[in-house]
Amino acid sequence: EPEVTQTPSHQVTQMGQEVILRCVPISNHLYFYWYRQILGQKVEFLVSFYNNEISEKSEIFDDQFSVERPDGSNFTLKIRSTKLEDSAMYFCASANGTQETQYFGPGTRLLVL
Amino acid sequence: QKEVEQDPGPLSVPEGAIVSLNCTYSNSAFQYFMWYRQYSRKGPELLMYTYSSGNKEDGRFTAQVDKSSKYISLFIRDSQPSDSATYLCAMSYMKTSYDKVIFGPGTSLSVIP
């Protein structure tokens, strides 16, 4: 069964450093998302992406965040200057727009020290 | 008032029990209702979805939506130890799979053999 993959599974970084989280969505999907889950809290929507542009973003997704689909297979989330409060599990998801679900990846656990 | 509320548990039941998980929501604009299961350190996995008020059954799982009360439920019959996970209710404003998903905080379930 096709699945969304994410790399790395864990990332530790120093405050102020840039990080790039990578996702490979399911190959025929057209809609891409990033969500995050701070430890002990709910899963929160960050951004959706379709047709090479952001469709919607939450108030969490400020100027420190950016997304890109650099080629036909990868979808990335960049955090320019990480803060302690960016420590969370980041989930990528994708959808083809016709099936009744978004498929979630296993997540990248980001720890900012 | 929070958009989606859910009793966090933990809920502990013996194997074979019927489990009832519930969520309330505040915004009557939600149209698409879902239940996700999340195992520890994994991404959310869609279990059930429904558009309208009423019941939907899939194997041991029944999802129930009452739009007039803004209340959704998930019932698990003949619960198994493998059902031990966190259950996330979720909803979106559009009847599509590509709208952002708003999650509840999740209920932690343990099924004891």
Side-chain angles (χ1 to χ4, degrees), chain B residues 8-71:
Chain B
L11 182 62
S12 185
V13 302
E15 183 175 353
I18 296 174
V19 177
S20 172
L21 304 166
N22 309 295
C23 274
T24 58
Y25 61 95
S26 58
N27 194 333
S28 58
F30 285 127
Q31 297 192 57
Y32 185 55
F33 304 93
M34 296 154 277
W35 284 94
Y36 282 82
R37 177 173 60 195
Q38 186 178 25
Y39 291 112
S40 181
R41 300 180 183 273
K42 300 286 188 184
E45 171 196 8
L46 183 72
L47 280 177
M48 304 276 292
Y49 66 89
T50 184
Y51 296 121
S52 55
S53 285
N55 293 354
K56 182 176 182 179
E57 194 172 312
D58 183 2
R60 297 185 295 112
F61 298 91
T62 300
Q64 195 171 73
V65 173
D66 182 348
K67 284 187 172 182
S68 62
S69 302
K70 300 193 187 71
Y71 189 86

Side-chain angles (χ1 to χ4, degrees), chain A residues 33 35 56 99-100 102, chain B residues 32 51 97-101:
Chain A
Y33 313 82
Y35 292 80
E56 186 174 359
Q99 285 180 289
E100 307 296 347
Q102 292 178 19
Chain B
Y32 185 55
Y51 296 121
S97 64
Y98 49 83
D99 189 25
K100 66 182 180 189
V101 176

Side-chain angles (χ1 to χ4, degrees), chain A residues 9-20:
Chain A
S9 58
H10 294 80
Q11 172 113 30
V12 181
T13 190
Q14 295 291 322
M15 190 169 59
Q17 295 297 303
E18 175 183 287
V19 295
I20 298 176

Side-chain angles (χ1 to χ4, degrees), chain B residues 90-108:
Chain B
M91 42 205 80
S92 60
Y93 294 102
M94 293 168 63
K95 288 183 181 179
T96 66
S97 64
Y98 49 83
D99 189 25
K100 66 182 180 189
V101 176
I102 311 296
F103 285 90
T107 298
S108 175

